Amino acid sequence: MEGEKVMNIWEAVRQVPVLTAANPASLAALMPHIVMREYKKGEHLFWDKEPVAQVYFLASGVCSLYKLNANGEKQGIFIYNAGAMLNEVI
């Protein structure tokens, strides 16, 4: 959006609680592997039961996790806010 400030990787990392506790050496080792992407409303990050090789952190905005019921209707499972890790194994 016009006039909206674009977040850099360091600012995004500071939004993620699990990364704010990391020491500087650990963060430096992670930085080359961090990729920031912007998604539009309605885009999917991954699908249920799909193998995912990345870990997703939500730097800003809102993301929802849902399943489709037998009628193909969305049923919300979780709503995530900035700082959330989306696909951790529970």
Side-chain angles (χ1 to χ4, degrees):
M1 291 187 181
E2 190 175 321
E4 186 175 315
K5 182 180 179 279
V6 176
M7 185 180 302
N8 69 39
I9 289 179
W10 284 106
E11 291 169 325
V13 166
R14 286 193 285 268
Q15 299 295 315
V16 180
V18 71
L19 296 179
T20 58
N23 67 47
S26 295
L27 284 177
L30 284 173
M31 290 309 281
H33 305 285
I34 296 175
V35 176
M36 283 187 56
R37 292 191 181 123
E38 185 174 326
Y39 292 88
K40 294 183 174 114
K41 183 176 182 175
E43 281 189 90
H44 291 93
L45 301 178
F46 52 88
W47 298 93
D48 189 30
K49 301 195 186 349
E50 173 184 22
V52 179
Q54 311 80 328
V55 174
Y56 290 94
F57 294 101
L58 186 59
S60 65
V62 176
C63 181
S64 62
L65 174 67
Y66 67 88
K67 291 198 175 233
L68 297 178
N69 66 18
N71 297 324
E73 299 166 327
K74 290 181 183 179
Q75 292 189 318
I77 308 290
F78 293 109
I79 295 180
Y80 296 101
N81 294 305
M85 183 167 35
L86 304 180
N87 59 326
E88 76 272 18
V89 177
I90 319 179

